[in-house]
Amino acid sequence: MSTPLFEINKIHASLTSTFLSSLSSPKSSPSTGYPLLSLPYRQHQLLQLARLVQENADALCNSLWIDEGKPRQEVVMAEIGAVIGRALKGAKELESWVGGGAEIGEDVKLEGWQEAWKARVEKKAKGVVLIISPWNYPIILTFQPLCGAIAAGCPALIKPSEVVPTFSKLLAELVPKYLDPAAYRVALGGVPEITRILELKWAHIFYTGNGRVARIISAAAAKHLTPMTLELGGKSPVIIDGANLGEEELRVAARRVMWGKVNNSGQCDVVICVAPDYVLIQPAYIPQFISACRVALESFFPNGALNSLDYGRIVSEAHFARIKGLLRDTKGRVVIGGGVLDGSEGQEGARARGVEPTVVVLDEATAADDVLLQDELFAPILPIVPVASVAAALEYVRAHEHPLVIYAFTETFGRVFVHAFILVLFGPSCGHSFMDFCGPAVVLDEIPFGGVGESGYGRQPLKYTFEEFVYSRSVLEVPFSEEPKFGGRYPPSSKETLDFFEGCLKVPIPSVEELGGKANGANGTSKL
């Protein structure tokens, strides 16, 4: 089922009318009783979003079971719980995000000759926005940006992925039942529909997906100078400091890495494209790491992953064929897994597209050209790349495109070897770096999550998502009584006025030490 192309233009016009009405002559929304896009209206919509997910959890879980064979616990743990919690938290904290009210903003205290002026900064909605969500975690990656748009006061069109048709159809049915259809709509379809959508002018586009499609969307957005948020991925590496990990620490590291890899069958880790893509480790510790990975998988799936209802499936035949092609074409040695379903077990639909969690050891001499290291895997395959040292691992990461996350497992933080891991944190440019942990920063409400370069730009969740959809508008009031202070700026100029403005040329410029800093041996006067 697709949204007719002519209907897309009507939806855009309707959402635009809603936004403009909220600015010019705000009237109470028939569905909420609150003025359109006012703070109480937004809070009500956020609470309704929480109700939508909570009251339809079974249907949402079932839709992803049909589309992706995704286990219920994965859906509740990674998506449903997060959406409910953040929608409720957004409703509670919205007023503080805005700064005291939609029209109040935050007052700015001015000093000196400007102290009589009145200044404030208001967080204003950008306008009608477009949210394009992916198939791998469609609940949270649809509703999390929507929470930000609602909080900002932006009407939104949601375009879910056609790769998960059961979920997308359910979304289109539920949204108008819970959210105000005057401000929030869903459009279904594939390439023709998204092409038409991108021809229209949006105030902001929030896209979660891959770099190839992001470039297409960015090109379309550039025609209208539309700002964007891009949540992409990249090949997020895992650096294992085997020389400085004890047996128990290495076991825990392997367990955390494998958990990150098997979620959603490796089709991106729990929420937002941060699956551990490959491991960099010294050769001497590879056998021990493989053994620990095997133990972890046996504890997760005692009867085998493909026989477990806790292990998901591959989303489509195209992706299934792609992953089987990766296993066929790699020059690496499969040391764990490698099996795929062939349809002989009687499974149907998504449950028939299964690939075992697979660990592949690559040859150090040929690894760089291996198919497993070319693009983001989006598969339950974990390549192991031998490196001579942690320093060599860091150089490898630095030489490639920016990952969304760098994972580093070490017990040396705070000792002599810490210098190498400072390079992990501050050297290679990446969206985030995690120590001794494998999972998404987006599970935390308090810190921003997002990419850099090839892994995207923009930040979320909660207040950080809200900030993506607003702009800071400065408001300044200068009383007429202040006019005598401006006399010197008007023509004609004189020696007196010129001397006044040239006072800046006589302002002393301090050294670093005078500012309270440390010059590290320099005298603070260098011009370099």
Side-chain angles (χ1 to χ4, degrees):
M1 184 176 69
S2 298
T3 302
L5 296 181
F6 71 86
E7 184 68 20
I8 290 171
N9 291 65
K10 291 183 178 180
I11 293 173
H12 181 268
S14 175
L15 295 175
T16 301
S17 175
T18 295
F19 182 68
L20 294 177
S21 296
S22 73
L23 298 177
S24 57
S25 54
K27 300 177 181 178
S28 292
S29 163
S31 65
T32 69
Y34 302 110
L36 273 174
L37 304 182
S38 64
L39 254 64
Y41 175 97
R42 301 180 212 176
Q43 290 172 316
H44 176 75
Q45 296 301 301
L46 288 168
L47 297 176
Q48 284 294 100
L49 182 56
R51 293 187 181 97
L52 184 159
V53 176
Q54 187 179 74
E55 294 174 4
N56 296 278
D58 289 345
L60 290 166
C61 288
N62 185 58
S63 71
L64 296 188
W65 177 262
I66 294 171
D67 287 336
E68 303 184 73
K70 184 178 287 193
R72 180 183 177 93
Q73 180 167 307
E74 281 192 15
V75 179
V76 176
M77 174 182 64
E79 304 198 68
I80 287 177
V83 171
I84 294 172
R86 285 174 178 163
L88 294 176
K89 191 169 185 178
K92 182 179 180 179
E93 298 183 0
L94 177 57
E95 188 168 345
S96 67
W97 297 352
V98 172
E103 300 304 327
I104 299 173
E106 297 182 14
D107 291 332
V108 178
K109 184 178 180 180
L110 302 177
E111 298 178 350
W113 67 281
Q114 298 170 329
E115 64 181 353
W117 303 4
K118 294 182 180 180
R120 65 181 185 276
V121 177
E122 299 175 347
K123 299 292 180 66
K124 307 301 290 185
K126 288 182 177 179
V128 181
V129 303
L130 171 63
I131 296 170
I132 307 174
S133 60
W135 53 263
N136 58 334
Y137 284 88
I139 299 173
I140 190 167
L141 296 181
T142 297
F143 290 141
Q144 184 156 279
L146 181 61
C147 279
I150 292 173
C154 294
L157 175 65
I158 304 164
K159 170 57 181 71
S161 174
E162 68 275 16
V163 179
V164 281
T166 310
F167 166 79
S168 295
K169 182 175 181 292
L170 177 63
L171 183 73
E173 294 171 355
L174 293 178
V175 166
K177 292 180 180 179
Y178 286 83
L179 303 182
D180 185 359
Y184 312 104
R185 301 287 295 273
V186 176
L188 302 179
V191 173
E193 288 73 26
I194 191 61
T195 300
R196 175 61 60 86
I197 288 171
L198 290 173
E199 291 173 355
L200 302 171
K201 185 174 183 177
W202 305 93
H204 192 96
I205 297 176
F206 195 114
Y207 169 74
T208 305
N210 62 65
R212 178 185 60 82
V213 176
R215 285 173 168 81
I216 296 172
I217 296 173
S218 297
K223 295 178 181 178
H224 298 293
L225 297 179
T226 300
M228 299 184 67
T229 301
L230 296 179
E231 283 290 358
L232 309 179
K235 295 182 74 64
S236 297
V238 179
I239 299 176
I240 303 289
D241 179 19
N244 290 280
L245 288 177
E247 183 178 342
E248 176 63 16
E249 286 76 21
L250 189 63
R251 184 190 67 79
V252 173
R255 184 178 181 85
R256 292 179 179 179
V257 171
M258 293 313 301
W259 177 83
K261 177 54 76 172
V262 301
N263 269 280
N264 201 26
S265 288
Q267 297 166 107
C268 235
D269 183 18
V270 179
V271 197
I272 311 188
C273 303
V274 291
D277 198 275
Y278 62 97
V279 171
L280 298 162
I281 185 173
Q282 301 100 318
Y285 304 98
I286 290 177
Q288 187 180 355
F289 181 72
I290 292 172
S291 177
C293 288
R294 186 176 289 111
V295 170
L297 288 172
E298 288 173 354
S299 71
F300 296 162
F301 313 113
N303 298 316
L306 295 183
N307 297 317
S308 174
L309 296 180
D310 290 323
Y311 184 63
R313 295 297 188 259
I314 307 305
V315 69
S316 69
E317 288 295 338
H319 282 281
F320 193 38
R322 179 186 63 83
I323 294 172
K324 289 189 289 185
L326 292 174
L327 292 173
R328 180 190 66 236
D329 297 337
T330 180
K331 297 179 176 63
R333 176 170 55 95
V334 176
V335 294
I336 297 177
V340 299
L341 293 176
D342 59 9
S344 62
E345 302 297 324
Q347 296 95 339
E348 296 181 353
R351 296 302 294 179
R353 298 189 294 270
V355 177
E356 280 187 308
T358 301
V359 177
V360 180
V361 178
L362 302 181
D363 183 84
E364 190 171 1
T366 61
D369 297 323
D370 197 274
V371 65
L372 298 183
L373 295 185
Q374 301 310 305
D375 298 308
E376 186 177 2
L377 286 174
F378 250 70
I381 304 172
L382 184 69
I384 295 178
V385 182
V387 290
S389 63
V390 171
L394 292 168
E395 287 300 326
Y396 182 93
V397 175
R398 187 180 290 108
H400 293 76
E401 292 288 357
H402 306 310
L404 187 53
V405 176
I406 295 175
Y407 300 106
F409 289 86
T410 180
E411 281 296 296
T412 60
F413 199 82
R415 299 200 292 271
V416 176
F417 202 62
V418 69
H419 179 66
F421 282 91
I422 290 176
L423 291 177
V424 173
L425 294 173
F426 302 106
S429 185
C430 66
H432 307 274
S433 44
F434 295 167
M435 302 296 291
D436 305 324
F437 176 71
C438 201
V442 78
V443 301
L444 300 174
D445 294 342
E446 296 79 13
I447 61 176
F449 182 89
V452 58
E454 193 70 17
S455 55
Y457 48 80
R459 293 293 181 264
Q460 55 179 320
L462 289 168
K463 182 179 180 180
Y464 300 103
T465 319
F466 162 81
E467 295 286 353
E468 295 291 301
F469 291 105
V470 297
Y471 69 95
S472 297
R473 183 173 74 179
S474 299
V475 179
L476 179 65
E477 299 177 32
V478 181
F480 287 111
S481 60
E482 292 289 288
E483 182 61 16
K485 296 179 181 179
F486 300 120
R489 71 177 181 174
Y490 299 123
S493 62
S494 66
K495 183 180 184 306
E496 181 183 11
T497 59
L498 184 58
D499 287 345
F500 173 80
F501 289 115
E502 284 189 347
C504 63
L505 303 180
K506 300 175 184 178
V507 174
I509 298 176
S511 67
V512 173
E513 290 83 356
E514 289 171 323
L515 293 176
K518 295 181 180 179
N520 292 327
N523 60 15
T525 61
S526 173
K527 296 182 180 180
L528 297 180

